[in-house]
């Protein structure tokens, strides 16, 4: 596929590197030569130093033949303009990064489609959604809902209190068991497990289940002593903090600690909620944390613009007894270090936004796609097309490549865990797990076949 990306900032650079490793024809446009210099020679990317809203530049980049055009410069208006021009010049699909939440309202999305912008991405909104999802269960590292909770993905760090350690997965995840283990992160290795694999102390295990079995999973993984989250301290008052505060469940209370008095005043204007309090101060100040009740807080979220500060703040909160910590880590080089320090949930806006954009490239019907950043794997929700290969045989007879697993499906509104005897039907929403760079192989099973199988 041919992809043109306007903007060599954090999201654009990360996305172009990701796409180049998938053997796509990728062009990166930016009018700042220094930003383009951040793309080293190890990636097969064509770089153009010019304005992304120049018609000549867009033509030179081959937008007329582009399968996808992505506008992710720092300026929202520039992204929208570039997408409109790219659409007019022939780009098949366009996506623009925005900073205005109003544009995401359902009644406004059709307007953008009419002017040539097929999709909008607001990284801070996506990151805030992950944060709120993670806060719903203090014992879970990563949580993903499918079809309003018909199925749930829970990433859990296993300790020696876990009741299902050292047992073959085939003995744990049979046809009648209420969960499937669909991925494991063990040290630096990512495993899409088979029946003979076992769970070990220290594994990060991803469970697929339905909502009624969450208490059961909490018990068997030895996390019963973890309290539900009712009180949260958020360090940093940026856009992600605002979006998280505005979507915080009513049964939770949050305190946002922000060092800038001017920003505190602005936060008070933006967040008009009785369960959110704005505190002026330094979130690294132990005296302030004690004063604001850190001992009685179930979750600490650090969302400053500095990854090192966020990691250290979460480590400090853990030492003070907070069970659930979430850190914004924008520098991907720090992610493995943060995981090694066991700080808890890690949020990265680049990977969240890239996953959202990446799903637009799929030829099959993909409703949702996420990168399991810590596990170096992908999870995607494919809709089985009429006549597709996935509907031809029971799962055990499909010949799925090693490294690809099906965790569950949603038929109508019912979540169903998949086993080898399951027959997938056209229209089913199927949750697929695979190693990174194998999503294209999984996609082939869900596309409508013109040749038959």
């Amino acid at each position: 596929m041919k992809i043109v990306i306007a903007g060599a900032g954090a999201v654009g650079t990360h996305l172009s590197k990701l796409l180049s490793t998938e053997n796509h024809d990728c062009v990166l446009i930016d009018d700042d030569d220094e930003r383009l210099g951040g793309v080293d020679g190890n990636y097969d990317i064509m770089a153009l130093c010019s304005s992304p809203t120049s018609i000549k530049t867009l033509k030179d980049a081959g937008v007329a033949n582009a399968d996808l055009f992505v506008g992710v410069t720092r300026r929202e208006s520039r992204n929208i303009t570039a997408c409109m021009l790219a659409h007019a010049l022939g780009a098949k699909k366009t996506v623009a990064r925005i900073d205005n939440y109003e544009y995401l309202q359902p009644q406004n999305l059709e307007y953008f489609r009419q002017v040539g912008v097929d999709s909008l991405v607001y990284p801070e909104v996506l990151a805030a959604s992950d944060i709120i999802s993670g806060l719903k269960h203090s014992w879970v590292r990563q949580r993903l809902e499918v079809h309003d909770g018909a199925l749930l993905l829970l990433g859990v760090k296993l300790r020696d209190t876990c009741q299902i350690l050292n047992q073959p997965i085939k003995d744990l995840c049979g046809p009648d068991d209420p969960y499937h283990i669909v991925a494991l992160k063990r040290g630096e290795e990512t495993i899409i497990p088979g029946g003979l694999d076992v769970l070990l102390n220290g594994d990060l295990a991803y469970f697929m289940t339905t909502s009624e079995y969450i208490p059961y999973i909490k018990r068997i993984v030895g996390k019963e002593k973890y309290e539900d989250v009712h009180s949260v301290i958020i360090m940093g008052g940026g856009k992600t903090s605002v979006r998280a505060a505005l979507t915080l469940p009513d049964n939770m209370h949050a305190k946002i600690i922000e060092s800038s008095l001017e920003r505190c005043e602005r936060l008070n204007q933006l967040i008009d909620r009785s369960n959110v309090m704005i505190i002026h101060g330094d979130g690294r100040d132990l005296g302030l944390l004690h004063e604001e009740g850190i001992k009685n807080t179930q979750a600490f979220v650090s969302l400053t613009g500095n990854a090192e500060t966020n990691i250290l703040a979460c480590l400090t909160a853990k030492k003070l007894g907070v069970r659930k910590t979430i850190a914004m880590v924008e520098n991907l080089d720090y992610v493995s270090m943060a995981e090694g320090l066991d700080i808890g949930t890690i949020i990265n806006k680049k990977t969240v936004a890239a996953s959202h954009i990446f799903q637009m490239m799929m030829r099959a019907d993909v409703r949702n796609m996420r990168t399991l950043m810590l596990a170096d794997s992908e999870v995607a929700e494919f809709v089985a097309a009429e006549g597709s290969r996935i509907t031809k045989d029971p799962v055990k007879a499909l010949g799925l490549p090693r490294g690809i697993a099906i965790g569950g499906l949603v038929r109508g509104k019912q979540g169903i865990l998949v086993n080898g005897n399951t027959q997938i039907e056209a229209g089913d929403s199927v949750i697929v797990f695979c190693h990174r760079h194998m999503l294209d192989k999984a996609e082939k099973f869900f596309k409508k076949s013109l040749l038959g199988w």
Side-chain angles (χ1 to χ4, degrees):
M1 294 183 71
K2 183 176 181 64
I3 301 100
V4 180
I5 301 171
V11 175
T13 300
H14 174 72
L15 184 62
S16 61
K17 290 178 179 179
L18 177 67
L19 295 174
S20 70
T21 60
E22 300 281 349
N23 297 317
H24 295 290
D25 179 7
C26 189
V27 181
L28 182 62
I29 306 172
D30 200 289
D31 54 10
D32 188 324
D33 198 44
E34 285 189 18
R35 284 200 291 268
L36 288 173
V39 183
D40 58 46
N42 295 326
Y43 298 93
D44 185 16
I45 300 168
M46 176 183 173
L48 284 179
C49 185
S50 187
S51 169
T53 54
S54 162
I55 294 175
K56 180 180 184 303
T57 298
L58 295 176
K59 287 181 176 179
D60 290 343
V63 161
N65 300 313
D67 297 284
L68 179 65
F69 179 86
V70 182
V72 284
T73 74
R74 297 177 180 179
R75 288 163 50 192
E76 173 186 79
S77 58
R78 201 177 204 191
N79 296 332
I80 293 172
T81 300
C83 283
M84 293 169 64
L85 291 172
H87 172 79
L89 291 170
K92 293 182 178 66
K93 291 182 181 179
T94 64
V95 56
R97 177 180 180 173
I98 61 168
D99 295 313
N100 188 338
Y101 186 74
E102 178 190 14
Y103 292 165
L104 293 177
Q105 301 302 312
Q107 65 270 23
N108 295 330
L109 294 178
E110 182 57 34
Y111 166 75
F112 283 100
R113 281 190 282 268
Q114 290 174 4
V115 297
V117 185
D118 296 302
S119 184
L120 302 172
V121 57
Y122 192 156
E124 289 77 10
V125 168
L126 297 174
S129 177
D130 275 6
I131 290 166
I132 297 302
S133 182
L135 289 173
K136 289 180 179 178
H137 298 302
S138 61
W139 50 281
V140 171
R141 291 290 176 92
Q142 189 167 5
R143 180 181 180 276
L144 177 64
E145 287 189 5
V146 180
H147 277 258
D148 297 321
L151 285 174
L152 288 163
L153 174 69
L154 307 174
V156 183
K157 191 78 168 182
L158 305 182
R159 305 297 187 188
D160 56 9
T161 54
C162 178
Q163 300 174 17
I164 55 175
L165 295 179
N166 306 311
Q167 300 177 54
I169 286 178
K170 65 182 178 64
D171 295 340
L172 301 173
C173 304
D176 299 322
D177 288 300
Y179 64 89
H180 285 169
I181 297 167
V182 293
L184 296 172
K185 177 67 181 297
R186 180 173 297 156
E188 297 299 318
E189 183 183 9
T190 297
I191 302 168
I192 303 295
L196 298 178
D197 288 300
V198 299
L199 302 179
L200 301 179
N201 186 14
D203 284 352
L204 178 59
Y206 288 87
F207 294 77
M208 177 131 277
T209 189
T210 51
S211 58
E212 64 265 34
Y213 291 108
I214 290 176
Y216 173 74
I217 292 176
K218 184 178 182 180
R219 178 173 61 81
I220 64 173
V221 298
K223 306 288 187 179
E224 287 183 295
K225 293 183 179 179
Y226 277 67
E227 298 178 73
D228 290 338
V229 175
H230 299 294
S231 178
V232 186
I233 289 179
I234 300 174
M235 178 174 161
K239 292 179 182 178
T240 306
S241 299
V242 171
R243 297 318 318 173
L246 289 173
T247 53
L248 191 75
D250 292 336
N251 66 335
M252 294 184 193
H253 290 78
K255 294 179 179 180
I256 300 177
I257 301 178
E258 166 58 43
S259 59
S260 165
L261 181 58
E262 182 180 358
R263 182 60 181 171
C264 284
E265 293 171 353
R266 179 60 177 156
L267 291 173
N268 278 313
Q269 296 173 356
L270 293 171
I271 306 169
D272 184 19
R273 297 197 64 187
S274 60
N275 61 338
V276 179
M277 180 183 297
I278 311 301
I279 308 293
H280 177 229
D282 188 338
R284 297 167 296 181
D285 183 339
L286 293 181
L288 177 62
L289 290 177
H290 283 292
E291 184 179 329
E292 295 303 332
I294 189 79
K295 291 286 187 180
N296 299 313
T297 297
Q298 292 84 41
F300 181 89
V301 184
S302 192
L303 302 177
T304 76
N306 186 289
E308 297 99 319
T309 297
N310 295 337
I311 292 169
L312 290 173
C314 285
L315 286 173
T316 300
K318 274 188 167 290
K319 287 184 178 180
L320 294 173
V322 180
R323 283 278 179 89
K324 178 72 176 183
T325 57
I326 300 175
M328 181 79 78
V329 180
E330 285 301 283
N331 188 332
L332 290 173
D333 295 332
Y334 289 170
V335 169
S336 59
M337 178 189 72
E339 168 63 10
L341 291 171
D342 200 25
I343 65 166
T345 299
I346 297 169
I347 299 293
N348 183 282
K349 288 184 292 187
K350 288 181 287 193
T351 58
V352 174
S355 293
H356 180 85
I357 294 168
F358 199 84
Q359 76 181 61
M360 293 189 65
M361 298 166 50
M362 300 287 107
R363 291 184 172 90
D365 187 353
V366 181
R367 300 290 170 85
N368 196 6
M369 176 188 156
R370 301 301 296 274
T371 295
L372 302 180
M373 184 171 55
L374 298 179
D376 193 31
S377 58
E378 312 278 3
V379 54
E381 178 187 351
F382 287 98
V383 177
E386 188 76 43
S388 60
R389 185 176 178 183
I390 201 74
T391 63
K392 297 300 182 181
D393 296 291
V395 169
K396 64 184 178 184
L398 289 171
L400 291 171
R402 184 171 177 80
I404 296 176
I406 295 175
L409 62 85
V410 179
R411 182 172 295 158
K413 295 183 178 180
Q414 182 184 6
I416 302 170
L417 296 177
V418 168
N419 59 61
N421 297 319
T422 301
Q423 177 69 56
I424 294 171
E425 300 176 2
D428 287 347
S429 291
V430 185
I431 313 305
V432 177
F433 298 80
C434 60
H435 286 299
R436 200 166 290 177
H437 313 313
M438 292 191 68
L439 205 59
D440 57 336
K441 294 181 179 179
E443 180 189 21
K444 293 175 182 177
F445 285 81
F446 291 87
K447 293 188 295 185
K448 185 175 182 179
S449 173
L450 300 178
L451 301 176
W453 292 94

